[in-house]
Amino acid sequence: MPMDAREIEELIRDALPDATVTIRDLAGDGDHYAAVVVSESFRGKSRVQQHQIVYQALKGQMGGALHALALQTSAPPQA
């Protein structure tokens, strides 16, 4: 059963409450999404570490209910 964008966003926000999350369904099939996640939690972490945090937030859904996720992560700009 595919995941919907709302469910993906909720899982990420549960793990990263300060995050700004934007989800797009790339193929209209509920299996292929793009996500942009901006969180202070990412500051000082490598891109790989940032992506690992998001994948952990998805609680094992990657490769199962969620087939593909194009992921862009960053810390917010500093003032």
Side-chain angles (χ1 to χ4, degrees):
M1 174 185 233
M3 294 181 77
D4 68 20
R6 212 176 30 239
E7 187 177 359
I8 296 166
E9 183 175 345
E10 286 174 11
L11 287 170
I12 294 170
R13 284 188 194 277
D14 285 348
L16 301 164
D18 73 312
T20 301
V21 181
T22 306
I23 308 287
R24 276 187 314 129
D25 187 340
L26 296 176
D29 60 4
D31 277 340
H32 299 82
Y33 289 97
V36 178
V37 183
V38 179
S39 172
E40 187 59 41
S41 302
F42 296 149
R43 190 163 312 282
K45 294 189 172 44
S46 72
R47 187 81 59 211
V48 170
Q49 290 170 319
Q50 294 173 19
H51 287 202
Q52 287 172 335
I53 291 168
V54 174
Y55 292 141
Q56 287 171 355
L58 296 173
K59 300 179 180 177
Q61 297 298 320
M62 271 307 299
L66 181 57
H67 179 72
L69 180 67
L71 192 52
Q72 269 188 305
T73 57
S74 65
Q78 292 183 319

